Amino acid sequence: MGKAIKLIKNRSDIGAGTRGSDLGIDAIEIAAINNNSDYFNKFEFEDVKTHNDSIYDKNRSSFAKRIEHVVEQCTRVCDAVKENLEGNYFPIVLSGDHSSALGTLSGVKAAYPEQNIGVFWIDAHADLHSPYTSPSGNIHGMPLSAALGDDNLSCQNNEVARETQQQWENMKNIGYKGPKVLAENLIYFGVRDTEEEEDKQIEKLHIKNYKVDEVRYRGLKTCIEEALLKLTHCEVLYISFDVDAMDCDMISDGTGTPVPKGFDQYEIIAIINQIVKTKKVVCIEFVEVNPLLDTKGNKMAETAFEILEAITSALILPIK
């Protein structure tokens, strides 16, 4: 690919509903050590300053918890991604909760403002809520709504305070004013746990979701080829991988919102590696490993590392 890999470590979990995903990166590193791997000594890395102490602040907005701090954190991630892309690095972003993806995607768009950005969102959840629709107020369920610049006001349930509205507008304009991705350039893999408001958005915006059963029935290779054909016009691709895309019964509950009937790790590796073959991928993100919730020791982090090591090899080695 002609680019050196840079690991961007963002140990932030302030966008989540449960604590612990800030420890996910360290858990993955421990998994590497226990596997006798020197992976984390092979590549340059950058630690993003965090604001995790803000979890002790009183929530001023129950519909977008700690939004002012999440905006700040996403801005830091955006700046790190943009700078590394402009420095000819390939960023692999290791994050805590999935609100970080808004920062990562904003950084990609800031580095490629004139390009069409294609997004592969590998996740059990659609992450399409906004402060106006969210039942929980947890911002890790909102990054795509912010990236699309669509608040889904036709499904509004919440009366949002003016201060929160302003912070939400700030969030939608991090790094690049306006949407970071168009709905037609967003493709889901594995989404299976959604709320009605999100279902209506998916239908309204015609977002394609390759569910696990479809991928297995039609064939993984066929589905990805079809998805890539849909995004042929996109010059740049970004992959966001939430570990809850995997089957919690098969792998582990070591993630904030585990969901059964997901992919296994080999399917995730195959999905990502087939997308990487396009040579259009400029950034990959791993999120939501939570070792505090893992009832199988460090199983989720071990599985995440297995995937990380496999896809990194594909990035480095020529793929035939």
Side-chain angles (χ1 to χ4, degrees):
M1 285 199 149
K3 292 184 178 183
I5 287 171
K6 173 77 74 73
L7 303 178
I8 297 178
K9 303 177 184 180
N10 173 42
R11 294 178 174 87
S12 176
D13 70 347
I14 59 174
T18 54
R19 306 277 66 82
S21 61
D22 59 322
L23 302 173
I25 297 168
D26 297 299
I28 294 171
E29 291 188 3
I30 289 168
I33 292 168
N34 290 341
N35 201 41
N36 295 316
S37 171
D38 64 346
Y39 180 94
F40 286 94
N41 292 323
K42 289 180 180 178
F43 307 108
E44 293 182 59
F45 70 91
E46 179 176 336
D47 283 307
V48 179
K49 182 182 176 183
T50 63
H51 217 320
N52 289 338
D53 55 347
S54 70
I55 64 170
Y56 301 109
D57 294 352
K58 185 177 180 181
N59 294 324
R60 289 194 287 274
S61 170
S62 59
F63 303 125
K65 296 172 183 175
R66 295 174 289 277
I67 187 169
E68 68 276 19
H69 301 305
V70 176
V71 169
E72 187 174 3
Q73 193 63 32
C74 285
T75 300
R76 290 169 178 162
V77 174
C78 170
D79 292 344
V81 170
K82 177 178 182 287
E83 288 169 11
N84 280 286
L85 287 171
E86 291 177 344
N88 203 36
Y89 284 99
F90 185 102
I92 297 179
V93 183
L94 305 176
S95 284
D97 76 81
H98 213 169
S99 65
S100 64
L102 186 272
T104 304
L105 186 47
S106 296
V108 173
K109 186 61 177 176
Y112 300 98
E114 304 302 321
Q115 309 292 332
N116 292 296
I117 312 294
V119 174
F120 286 90
W121 199 264
I122 307 171
D123 197 333
H125 304 93
D127 294 341
L128 270 179
H129 276 294
S130 75
Y132 303 97
T133 68
S134 175
S136 69
N138 299 323
I139 301 178
H140 69 166
M142 308 183 195
L144 277 178
S145 180
L148 290 165
D150 190 320
D151 299 339
N152 194 14
L153 294 179
S154 62
C155 293
Q156 181 172 354
N157 301 316
N158 306 324
E159 290 299 323
V160 180
R162 183 168 296 180
E163 180 184 358
T164 301
Q165 291 181 33
Q166 184 54 59
Q167 290 289 357
W168 179 245
E169 291 304 310
N170 293 342
M171 177 168 272
K172 290 192 290 185
N173 290 297
I174 290 172
Y176 174 92
K177 189 172 178 60
K180 313 303 185 289
V181 60
L182 301 176
E184 58 263 33
N185 297 338
L186 166 64
I187 294 179
Y188 287 130
F189 272 85
V191 171
R192 59 196 183 280
D193 185 16
T194 56
E195 279 82 41
E196 182 182 358
E197 299 86 354
E198 293 178 302
D199 293 336
K200 288 181 177 179
Q201 273 292 74
I202 291 169
E203 184 179 1
K204 181 187 85 173
L205 299 174
H206 305 291
I207 300 170
K208 175 59 182 175
N209 176 22
Y210 287 95
K211 295 185 178 181
V212 177
D213 287 348
E214 179 183 355
V215 171
R216 290 175 179 167
Y217 178 75
R218 296 182 59 209
L220 188 147
K221 186 171 183 288
T222 297
C223 290
I224 296 171
E225 285 176 350
E226 183 178 280
L228 289 170
L229 186 63
K230 186 174 187 288
L231 300 186
T232 300
H233 63 287
C234 293
E235 300 92 345
V236 171
L237 300 177
Y238 156 67
I239 300 170
S240 191
F241 168 52
D242 186 325
V243 296
D244 70 23
M246 295 187 290
D247 191 319
C248 64
D249 294 335
M250 186 188 306
I251 308 295
S252 166
D253 282 336
T255 184
T257 44
V259 185
K261 299 182 180 178
F263 294 115
D264 64 33
Q265 67 267 45
Y266 308 110
E267 290 169 313
I268 297 294
I269 291 168
I271 289 168
I272 294 175
N273 281 353
Q274 191 170 336
I275 299 167
V276 164
K277 285 182 183 180
T278 64
K279 299 185 179 179
K280 291 182 177 182
V281 180
V282 298
C283 181
I284 299 175
E285 184 162 21
F286 280 57
V287 302
E288 295 281 0
V289 172
N290 190 331
L292 297 186
L293 302 176
D294 202 327
T295 58
K296 298 180 181 178
N298 200 32
K299 180 66 174 177
M300 184 61 86
E302 291 166 357
T303 307
F305 177 65
E306 181 182 350
I307 297 167
L308 178 63
E309 197 168 40
I311 65 104
T312 304
S313 295
L315 287 169
I316 295 171
L317 298 174
I319 304 175
K320 297 181 181 179

